[in-house]
């Protein structure tokens, strides 16, 4: 399967076989991601990390993945530090960065920015999150974490709770979980439910998602509980945020009726959706999930930049 020079703008750019291939290579990357083995197989390559929205995990794990493979990193983390602040367009900025590196990783507040970047860049572009749009590499690491924890994805009961309207990670995730035949339940207040377009897309692909606002009813049958933060920064009206803030909070009492092997995931950062007491239970896999960003992003760099020898 050839990933050389491929853009990763949306999870919809990948089919199930391609995703499985990325997960297979990610598995191989684990000892390298932990520093137990060394693999400077992409020495001489340069990654351009453009993060125009805050990030801890995505930015640093791409950087760590690059270093583990011998890739040099150039980066910008604020638009004010670029000529965009002087009025340069994103298209011209991308043309310039394209000339300075071999692959661009872009996080941007506007939905569609990564697709635009891919159009103006000769080198491949990876979408690291575009507004409330999508976050395909997060989805790949989510799938990797689920596969490692449950040994399969097909047929799992996956409950997704929180801000399903503005949460870009879940927009990508439900597409991929549909490809893998998981059973989906979406838990959110009506105002933050999964957008109709996303539901239409997965329904056309064969998914039959259940929609509810009652988390307590969904937990007992769940194999995976995917918790998300209410995306305060994307609410046009702060009073609307105040109406839904703190609506769902997972604590040990809430998990009393859960299956023993329930896996709790969260793309992070969390605010108060998961009580710290859950961190010490066998359900909590969200920190492992965040680590998995490194092997998965190493696999992407390796495959897209034409790595050989591992
Ligand atoms: N999950 C995620 O995208 O985290 P960051 O915003 O810290 O990159």
């Amino acid at each position: 399967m050839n990933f050389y020079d491929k853009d990763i703008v949306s999870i919809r750019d990948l089919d199930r076989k391609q995703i499985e291939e990325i997960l297979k290579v990610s598995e191989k990357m684990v000892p390298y991601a932990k520093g137990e083995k060394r693999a400077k197989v992409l020495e001489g390559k340069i990654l351009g990390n453009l993060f125009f929205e805050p990030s801890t995990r995505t930015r640093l794990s791409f950087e760590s993945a690059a270093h583990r493979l011998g890739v040099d990193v150039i980066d910008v983390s604020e638009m004010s530090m670029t000529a965009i602040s002087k009025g340069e367009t994103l298209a011209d900025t991308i043309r310039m960065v394209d000339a300075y590196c071999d692959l661009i990783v872009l996080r941007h507040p506007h939905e569609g920015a990564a697709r635009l970047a891919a159009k103006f860049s000769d080198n491949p572009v990876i979408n690291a999150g575009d507004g409330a749009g999508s976050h395909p590499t997060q989805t790949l690491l989510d799938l990797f974490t689920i596969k490692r924890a449950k040994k399969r994805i097909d047929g799992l009961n996956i409950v997704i709770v929180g801000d399903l309207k503005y949460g870009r990670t879940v927009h990508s995730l439900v597409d991929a979980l549909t490809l893998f035949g998981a059973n989906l339940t979406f838990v959110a207040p009506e105002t933050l439910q999964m957008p109709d377009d996303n539901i239409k897309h997965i329904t056309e692909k064969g998914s039959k998602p259940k929609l509810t606002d009652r988390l307590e009813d969904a937990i007992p049958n769940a194999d995976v509980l995917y918790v998300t933060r209410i995306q305060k920064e994307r609410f046009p009206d702060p009073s609307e945020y105040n109406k839904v803030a703190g609506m769902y909070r997972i604590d040990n009492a809430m998990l009393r009726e859960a299956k023993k092997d329930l896996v709790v995931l969260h793309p992070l950062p969390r605010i108060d959706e998961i009580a710290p007491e859950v961190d010490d239970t066998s359900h909590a896999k969200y920190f492992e999930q965040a680590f998995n960003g490194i092997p998965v992003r190493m696999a992407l760099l390796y495959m897209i930049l034409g790595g050989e020898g591992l």
Side-chain angles (χ1 to χ4, degrees), residues 219-232:
I219 283 182
N221 203 30
D223 298 303
V224 175
L225 177 61
Y226 193 97
V227 187
T228 65
R229 176 178 68 89
I230 309 284
Q231 309 274 307
K232 185 178 184 180

Side-chain angles (χ1 to χ4, degrees), residues 13-248:
D13 298 338
L14 301 169
D15 62 25
R16 178 172 171 158
K17 273 207 158 78
Q18 288 173 311
I19 293 174
E20 283 172 339
E21 180 67 17
I22 293 167
L23 300 188
K24 211 167 90 186
V25 178
S26 303
E27 192 61 54
K28 273 195 204 164
M29 291 295 173
V30 171
Y32 300 98
K34 290 180 173 168
E36 293 164 2
K37 289 185 180 179
R38 288 173 68 80
K40 302 283 185 182
V41 289
L42 290 175
E43 239 159 18
K45 298 288 185 186
I46 299 176
L47 167 69
N49 237 359
L50 299 186
F51 277 72
F52 297 140
E53 264 195 347
S55 168
T56 298
R57 280 145 290 271
T58 312
R59 182 174 169 207
L60 293 182
S61 64
F62 260 115
E63 203 164 326
S64 177
H67 288 308
R68 294 285 192 204
L69 290 168
V71 176
D72 289 319
V73 180
I74 55 173
D75 67 278
V76 176
S77 58
E78 277 185 47
M79 279 198 216
S80 61
M81 299 301 286
T82 72
I84 289 178
S85 65
K86 301 178 197 168
E88 187 166 52
T89 62
L90 178 64
D92 281 0
T93 303
I94 292 295
R95 282 188 177 104
M96 292 299 93
V97 179
D98 183 37
Y100 304 148
C101 68
D102 302 294
L103 184 152
I104 294 173
V105 173
L106 175 69
R107 172 168 291 189
H108 195 280
H110 296 152
E111 200 169 327
R115 186 69 70 198
L116 182 133
K119 189 172 150 199
F120 287 97
S121 173
D122 289 334
N123 284 309
V125 171
I126 297 180
N127 181 5
D130 60 333
S134 71
H135 195 349
T137 67
Q138 177 70 42
T139 291
L140 292 168
L141 74 91
D142 294 342
L143 297 177
F144 184 69
T145 307
I146 294 170
K147 191 88 192 287
R148 283 198 121 201
K150 310 296 287 184
K151 311 295 174 224
R152 68 187 169 107
I153 301 172
D154 296 79
L156 289 178
N157 296 326
I158 301 194
V159 174
I160 304 180
V161 58
D163 183 350
L164 312 186
K165 179 178 180 183
Y166 296 116
R168 59 190 168 206
T169 68
V170 295
H171 297 161
S172 303
L173 182 62
V174 299
D175 287 349
L177 291 174
T178 296
L179 285 181
F180 282 83
N183 306 311
L184 302 177
T185 302
F186 302 152
V187 182
E190 208 180 323
T191 51
L192 294 183
Q193 255 301 354
M194 188 65 70
D196 289 343
D197 280 357
N198 297 74
I199 293 190
K200 183 168 178 284
H201 180 82
I202 62 171
T203 304
E204 283 169 4
K205 301 279 175 194
S207 182
K208 293 180 183 144
K210 291 183 200 137
L211 277 60
T212 177
D213 60 358
R214 291 181 55 80
L215 180 58
E216 56 277 30
D217 293 349
I219 283 182
N221 203 30
D223 298 303
V224 175
L225 177 61
Y226 193 97
V227 187
T228 65
R229 176 178 68 89
I230 309 284
Q231 309 274 307
K232 185 178 184 180
E233 66 278 21
R234 306 213 191 280
F235 278 67
D237 177 355
S239 69
E240 288 302 308
Y241 170 77
N242 293 332
K243 282 186 202 160
V244 288
M247 192 161 170
Y248 298 108

